[in-house]
Protein backbone atom coordinates (compact mmCIF):
# COMPACT_ATOMS: atom_id res chain seq x y z
CA UNK A 1 0.00 0.00 0.00
CA UNK A 2 1.38 3.43 -1.07
CA UNK A 3 0.28 5.73 1.77
CA UNK A 4 1.83 8.81 0.14
CA UNK A 5 -0.08 8.23 -3.12
CA UNK A 6 -3.35 7.69 -1.19
CA UNK A 7 -2.82 10.97 0.69
CA UNK A 8 -2.39 12.81 -2.58
CA UNK A 9 -5.65 11.31 -3.84
CA UNK A 10 -7.48 12.42 -0.71
CA UNK A 11 -6.07 15.92 -0.98
CA UNK A 12 -6.98 16.10 -4.66
CA UNK A 13 -10.56 14.97 -3.92
CA UNK A 14 -10.89 17.54 -1.13
CA UNK A 15 -9.56 20.30 -3.37
CA UNK A 16 -11.98 19.32 -6.11
CA UNK A 17 -14.84 19.25 -3.59
CA UNK A 18 -14.11 22.73 -2.20
CA UNK A 19 -13.59 24.16 -5.69
CA UNK A 20 -16.95 22.73 -6.74
CA UNK A 21 -18.65 24.21 -3.67
CA UNK A 22 -17.08 27.61 -4.39
CA UNK A 23 -18.51 27.75 -7.91
CA UNK A 24 -21.87 26.44 -6.75
CA UNK A 25 -21.96 29.21 -4.16
CA UNK A 26 -21.16 31.85 -6.76
CA UNK A 27 -23.90 30.51 -9.02
CA UNK A 28 -26.43 30.47 -6.19
CA UNK A 29 -25.58 34.07 -5.26
CA UNK A 30 -26.08 35.13 -8.86
CA UNK A 31 -29.49 33.42 -9.01
CA UNK A 32 -30.57 35.02 -5.73
CA UNK A 33 -29.52 38.47 -6.94
CA UNK A 34 -31.46 38.02 -10.17
CA UNK A 35 -34.60 36.66 -8.51
CA UNK A 36 -34.77 38.96 -5.47
CA UNK A 37 -38.09 40.80 -5.11
CA UNK A 38 -38.18 44.04 -7.09
CA UNK A 39 -39.04 45.91 -3.90
CA UNK A 40 -35.54 45.17 -2.57
CA UNK A 41 -34.09 47.28 -5.37
CA UNK A 42 -37.03 49.66 -5.61
CA UNK A 43 -36.15 51.28 -2.27
CA UNK A 44 -32.93 52.69 -3.70
CA UNK A 45 -32.87 56.50 -3.46
CA UNK A 46 -32.51 58.41 -6.72
CA UNK A 47 -32.03 62.08 -7.64
CA UNK A 48 -33.83 63.39 -10.69
CA UNK A 49 -31.38 64.70 -13.27
CA UNK A 50 -31.20 65.76 -16.91
CA UNK A 51 -28.77 65.46 -19.77
CA UNK A 52 -29.02 68.10 -22.51
CA UNK A 53 -28.10 67.62 -26.14
CA UNK A 54 -28.59 69.91 -29.14
CA UNK A 55 -30.41 73.18 -28.58
CA UNK A 56 -34.16 72.85 -29.02
CA UNK A 57 -34.22 69.10 -28.40
CA UNK A 58 -35.64 67.30 -25.38
CA UNK A 59 -33.16 66.31 -22.67
CA UNK A 60 -32.81 62.79 -21.38
CA UNK A 61 -33.97 62.14 -17.83
CA UNK A 62 -32.63 59.90 -15.09
CA UNK A 63 -35.48 57.60 -16.12
CA UNK A 64 -37.02 57.53 -19.57
CA UNK A 65 -40.50 58.91 -20.19
CA UNK A 66 -41.58 55.42 -21.22
CA UNK A 67 -40.32 53.82 -18.00
CA UNK A 68 -42.08 56.47 -15.89
CA UNK A 69 -45.44 55.70 -17.48
CA UNK A 70 -46.00 52.58 -15.39
CA UNK A 71 -46.01 54.82 -12.30
CA UNK A 72 -48.26 57.49 -13.85
CA UNK A 73 -45.21 59.75 -13.74
CA UNK A 74 -43.99 62.31 -16.29
CA UNK A 75 -41.15 64.66 -17.02
CA UNK A 76 -41.76 65.79 -20.60
CA UNK A 77 -44.49 65.98 -23.22
CA UNK A 78 -44.70 65.38 -26.97
CA UNK A 79 -41.42 66.05 -28.75
CA UNK A 80 -43.26 67.10 -31.90
CA UNK A 81 -45.34 69.91 -30.40
CA UNK A 82 -44.02 73.33 -29.35
CA UNK A 83 -45.86 73.31 -26.04
CA UNK A 84 -44.71 74.34 -22.57
CA UNK A 85 -46.17 73.04 -19.31
CA UNK A 86 -45.34 75.72 -16.76
CA UNK A 87 -44.96 74.77 -13.10
CA UNK A 88 -43.78 76.48 -9.92
CA UNK A 89 -42.55 74.98 -6.66
CA UNK A 90 -43.79 77.07 -3.73
CA UNK A 91 -42.05 76.40 -0.44
CA UNK A 92 -42.85 79.72 1.21
CA UNK A 93 -44.13 83.17 0.30
CA UNK A 94 -41.68 86.07 0.12
CA UNK A 95 -43.52 88.57 -2.06
CA UNK A 96 -42.78 87.16 -5.51
CA UNK A 97 -45.92 85.12 -6.14
CA UNK A 98 -48.07 88.18 -6.87
CA UNK A 99 -46.00 89.48 -9.83
CA UNK A 100 -45.83 85.91 -11.13
CA UNK A 101 -49.62 85.66 -11.01
CA UNK A 102 -49.93 89.05 -12.71
CA UNK A 103 -47.70 87.94 -15.59
CA UNK A 104 -49.60 84.67 -15.98
CA UNK A 105 -52.90 86.53 -16.03
CA UNK A 106 -51.62 88.99 -18.64
CA UNK A 107 -50.62 86.14 -20.96
CA UNK A 108 -53.65 83.97 -20.13
CA UNK A 109 -51.37 81.12 -19.05
CA UNK A 110 -52.52 78.47 -16.56
CA UNK A 111 -49.71 77.05 -14.43
CA UNK A 112 -49.38 74.46 -11.67
CA UNK A 113 -48.11 75.51 -8.24
CA UNK A 114 -46.73 72.65 -6.14
CA UNK A 115 -47.12 73.80 -2.54
CA UNK A 116 -45.98 72.63 0.89
CA UNK A 117 -47.76 72.91 4.21
CA UNK A 118 -46.02 76.13 5.25
CA UNK A 119 -47.17 77.92 2.11
CA UNK A 120 -50.77 76.87 2.70
CA UNK A 121 -50.57 77.99 6.32
CA UNK A 122 -48.96 81.35 5.63
CA UNK A 123 -50.54 82.41 2.32
CA UNK A 124 -54.11 81.06 2.10
CA UNK A 125 -55.32 84.12 0.17
CA UNK A 126 -52.78 83.47 -2.57
CA UNK A 127 -53.93 79.86 -2.73
CA UNK A 128 -57.49 81.07 -3.23
CA UNK A 129 -56.32 83.45 -5.93
CA UNK A 130 -54.47 80.68 -7.76
CA UNK A 131 -57.66 78.62 -7.87
CA UNK A 132 -59.86 81.58 -8.84
CA UNK A 133 -57.54 82.47 -11.73
CA UNK A 134 -57.58 78.96 -13.15
CA UNK A 135 -54.29 77.58 -11.90
CA UNK A 136 -53.77 74.09 -10.50
CA UNK A 137 -52.42 73.62 -6.99
CA UNK A 138 -50.41 70.42 -6.60
CA UNK A 139 -48.90 68.50 -3.70
CA UNK A 140 -45.26 69.09 -2.76
CA UNK A 141 -45.67 67.29 0.63
CA UNK A 142 -46.37 68.95 3.96
CA UNK A 143 -42.85 69.18 5.42
CA UNK A 144 -40.72 68.94 2.24
CA UNK A 145 -38.71 65.91 3.44
CA UNK A 146 -36.49 63.60 1.42
CA UNK A 147 -39.30 61.28 0.39
CA UNK A 148 -36.88 58.66 -0.94
CA UNK A 149 -36.10 57.85 2.70
CA UNK A 150 -39.75 57.10 3.46
CA UNK A 151 -40.59 53.50 2.66
CA UNK A 152 -43.73 52.90 4.71
CA UNK A 153 -47.08 53.82 3.23
CA UNK A 154 -48.51 55.41 6.39
CA UNK A 155 -45.72 58.00 6.68
CA UNK A 156 -45.81 58.71 2.95
CA UNK A 157 -49.57 59.20 2.99
CA UNK A 158 -49.41 61.47 6.03
CA UNK A 159 -47.16 63.90 4.13
CA UNK A 160 -49.57 63.90 1.19
CA UNK A 161 -52.84 64.01 3.12
CA UNK A 162 -51.72 66.94 5.27
CA UNK A 163 -51.44 69.15 2.19
CA UNK A 164 -54.65 67.90 0.58
CA UNK A 165 -56.68 68.38 3.75
CA UNK A 166 -55.46 71.93 4.39
CA UNK A 167 -56.04 72.86 0.74
CA UNK A 168 -59.65 71.66 1.01
CA UNK A 169 -60.11 73.61 4.25
CA UNK A 170 -58.89 76.81 2.54
CA UNK A 171 -60.67 76.45 -0.80
CA UNK A 172 -63.57 74.10 -0.14
CA UNK A 173 -62.32 71.99 -3.07
CA UNK A 174 -60.61 68.64 -3.41
CA UNK A 175 -56.96 68.95 -4.39
CA UNK A 176 -56.02 67.62 -7.82
CA UNK A 177 -53.80 64.59 -7.25
CA UNK A 178 -50.63 65.95 -8.80
CA UNK A 179 -47.40 65.35 -6.87
CA UNK A 180 -43.83 66.60 -7.19
CA UNK A 181 -41.14 64.95 -5.04
CA UNK A 182 -39.21 67.53 -2.99
CA UNK A 183 -35.73 68.18 -4.45
CA UNK A 184 -36.47 65.57 -7.10
CA UNK A 185 -35.54 62.79 -4.67
CA UNK A 186 -37.48 59.58 -5.10
CA UNK A 187 -37.43 55.81 -5.23
CA UNK A 188 -39.47 53.35 -7.25
CA UNK A 189 -41.28 52.48 -4.04
CA UNK A 190 -42.27 56.16 -3.64
CA UNK A 191 -43.56 56.33 -7.20
CA UNK A 192 -45.60 53.17 -6.72
CA UNK A 193 -47.08 54.42 -3.43
CA UNK A 194 -48.05 57.73 -5.06
CA UNK A 195 -49.72 55.85 -7.90
CA UNK A 196 -51.64 53.64 -5.49
CA UNK A 197 -52.90 56.79 -3.75
CA UNK A 198 -54.20 58.03 -7.09
CA UNK A 199 -51.45 60.60 -7.74
CA UNK A 200 -49.67 61.51 -10.94
CA UNK A 201 -46.01 62.35 -10.28
CA UNK A 202 -44.30 65.18 -12.16
CA UNK A 203 -40.59 65.78 -12.55
CA UNK A 204 -39.33 68.35 -15.08
CA UNK A 205 -37.34 68.74 -18.29
CA UNK A 206 -36.13 72.32 -17.73
CA UNK A 207 -35.11 74.19 -14.60
CA UNK A 208 -32.27 76.45 -13.49
CA UNK A 209 -30.68 77.50 -10.21
CA UNK A 210 -33.21 80.08 -9.04
CA UNK A 211 -33.89 78.99 -5.45
CA UNK A 212 -31.08 80.68 -3.51
CA UNK A 213 -32.76 83.85 -2.25
CA UNK A 214 -29.48 85.66 -1.59
CA UNK A 215 -27.80 84.54 -4.82
CA UNK A 216 -30.39 85.26 -7.47
CA UNK A 217 -29.41 84.81 -11.11
CA UNK A 218 -29.27 87.89 -13.30
CA UNK A 219 -31.84 88.44 -16.02
CA UNK A 220 -29.21 87.51 -18.61
CA UNK A 221 -28.30 84.28 -16.81
CA UNK A 222 -31.97 83.33 -16.51
CA UNK A 223 -32.70 83.98 -20.18
CA UNK A 224 -29.58 82.08 -21.23
CA UNK A 225 -30.91 78.91 -19.58
CA UNK A 226 -34.66 79.36 -20.07
CA UNK A 227 -34.49 80.41 -23.71
CA UNK A 228 -31.46 78.38 -24.77
CA UNK A 229 -32.75 75.11 -23.35
CA UNK A 230 -36.47 75.40 -24.08
CA UNK A 231 -37.78 72.51 -26.17
CA UNK A 232 -41.06 71.00 -27.40
CA UNK A 233 -43.06 69.39 -24.61
CA UNK A 234 -41.04 71.10 -21.88
CA UNK A 235 -42.20 70.70 -18.29
CA UNK A 236 -40.62 73.84 -16.84
CA UNK A 237 -39.90 74.13 -13.12
CA UNK A 238 -39.47 77.61 -11.65
CA UNK A 239 -39.52 78.65 -7.99
CA UNK A 240 -42.06 81.21 -6.87
CA UNK A 241 -39.58 82.44 -4.24
CA UNK A 242 -37.28 83.79 -6.97
CA UNK A 243 -37.17 87.56 -7.33
CA UNK A 244 -35.65 87.13 -10.77
CA UNK A 245 -38.58 85.00 -11.89
CA UNK A 246 -41.04 87.60 -10.65
CA UNK A 247 -39.21 90.33 -12.54
CA UNK A 248 -38.68 88.52 -15.85
CA UNK A 249 -41.75 86.30 -16.23
CA UNK A 250 -43.77 88.74 -18.36
CA UNK A 251 -40.87 89.19 -20.79
CA UNK A 252 -39.98 85.49 -20.64
CA UNK A 253 -43.50 84.44 -21.62
CA UNK A 254 -43.42 86.97 -24.48
CA UNK A 255 -40.10 85.60 -25.75
CA UNK A 256 -41.33 82.00 -25.60
CA UNK A 257 -44.45 83.01 -27.52
CA UNK A 258 -42.29 84.76 -30.13
CA UNK A 259 -40.37 81.48 -30.51
CA UNK A 260 -43.64 79.79 -31.47
CA UNK A 261 -44.49 78.15 -28.15
CA UNK A 262 -47.95 77.86 -26.62
CA UNK A 263 -48.93 76.67 -23.14
CA UNK A 264 -50.88 73.71 -21.85
CA UNK A 265 -51.73 72.39 -18.40
CA UNK A 266 -50.47 69.26 -16.70
CA UNK A 267 -54.02 67.90 -16.89
CA UNK A 268 -53.73 68.08 -20.68
CA UNK A 269 -50.38 66.32 -20.52
CA UNK A 270 -51.93 63.47 -18.51
CA UNK A 271 -54.85 63.16 -20.91
CA UNK A 272 -52.54 63.05 -23.93
CA UNK A 273 -50.61 60.04 -22.63
Amino acid sequence: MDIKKDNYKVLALLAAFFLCMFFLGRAAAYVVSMTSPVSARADQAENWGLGFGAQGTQPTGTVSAEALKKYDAYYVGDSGEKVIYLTFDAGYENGNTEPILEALKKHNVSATFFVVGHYLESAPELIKRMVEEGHTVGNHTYHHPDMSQISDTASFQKEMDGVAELFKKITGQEMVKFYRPPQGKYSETNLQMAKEMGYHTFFWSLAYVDWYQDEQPTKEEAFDKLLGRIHPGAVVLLHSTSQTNGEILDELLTKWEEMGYSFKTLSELVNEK
Side-chain angles (χ1 to χ4, degrees):
M1 182 177 179
D2 191 337
I3 296 175
K4 187 178 290 188
K5 186 179 290 187
D6 286 344
N7 285 341
Y8 281 132
K9 286 182 180 179
V10 171
L11 289 172
L13 287 170
L14 285 172
F17 172 78
F18 285 116
L19 189 63
C20 181
M21 292 300 293
F22 171 77
F23 283 112
L24 282 173
R26 290 290 297 271
Y30 175 78
V31 170
V32 169
S33 71
M34 294 301 292
T35 58
S36 295
V38 173
S39 59
R41 296 190 297 272
D43 284 333
Q44 181 177 340
E46 301 285 355
N47 290 307
W48 182 252
L50 297 168
F52 285 88
Q55 186 169 335
T57 62
Q58 292 186 339
T60 56
T62 306
V63 182
S64 71
E66 192 62 33
L68 287 173
K69 283 183 181 178
K70 67 178 179 179
Y71 300 111
D72 290 340
Y74 312 85
Y75 87 94
V76 72
D78 188 345
S79 62
E81 191 175 9
K82 294 188 79 171
V83 165
I84 294 170
Y85 304 90
L86 189 55
T87 72
F88 294 87
D89 283 3
Y92 57 94
E93 173 50 28
N94 62 351
N96 294 304
T97 303
E98 193 165 342
I100 287 171
L101 289 172
E102 289 297 328
L104 294 171
K105 186 175 182 178
K106 178 179 176 180
H107 289 262
N108 195 29
V109 173
S110 294
T112 299
F113 290 83
F114 288 97
V115 302
V116 301
H118 180 271
Y119 195 99
L120 289 159
E121 292 170 355
S122 61
E125 294 306 314
L126 285 172
I127 295 294
K128 291 177 184 177
R129 179 177 172 182
M130 291 172 190
V131 173
E132 289 168 359
E133 295 184 358
H135 303 295
T136 301
V137 178
N139 200 321
H140 202 33
T141 72
Y142 204 91
H143 298 101
H144 202 265
D146 178 352
M147 294 293 274
S148 69
Q149 300 304 308
I150 297 178
S151 57
D152 64 290
T153 302
S155 298
F156 190 94
Q157 184 153 5
K158 185 177 181 181
E159 281 291 333
M160 306 292 271
D161 287 353
V163 171
E165 290 166 5
L166 186 50
F167 174 82
K168 185 175 182 180
K169 184 177 179 180
I170 291 168
T171 65
Q173 299 181 19
E174 297 290 340
M175 175 173 261
V176 176
K177 290 199 169 185
F178 289 172
Y179 160 60
R180 173 165 285 157
Q183 304 174 65
K185 294 184 177 181
Y186 69 99
S187 68
E188 288 185 34
T189 299
N190 291 161
L191 298 179
Q192 182 61 33
M193 286 192 290
K195 179 181 179 179
E196 290 171 358
M197 293 175 197
Y199 279 89
H200 294 277
T201 300
F202 294 94
F203 294 101
W204 58 89
S205 64
L206 176 58
Y208 78 120
V209 181
D210 62 349
W211 57 85
Y212 294 117
Q213 190 170 353
D214 298 327
E215 297 179 33
Q216 280 292 288
T218 64
K219 173 182 173 180
E220 292 72 27
E221 289 169 338
F223 281 163
D224 179 59
K225 292 292 191 296
L226 298 174
L227 298 178
R229 288 184 171 178
I230 196 64
H231 53 270
V235 176
V236 178
L237 185 167
L238 301 176
H239 285 82
S240 64
T241 53
S242 168
Q243 182 179 344
T244 298
N245 290 341
E247 292 172 349
I248 70 168
L249 189 59
D250 181 13
E251 187 177 354
L252 176 63
L253 296 176
T254 298
K255 288 182 178 294
W256 276 337
E257 289 164 345
E258 290 172 349
M259 295 171 71
Y261 284 91
S262 59
F263 299 87
K264 287 187 177 181
T265 65
L266 293 184
S267 292
E268 291 173 291
L269 174 59
V270 168
N271 291 331
E272 288 170 0
K273 297 297 180 180

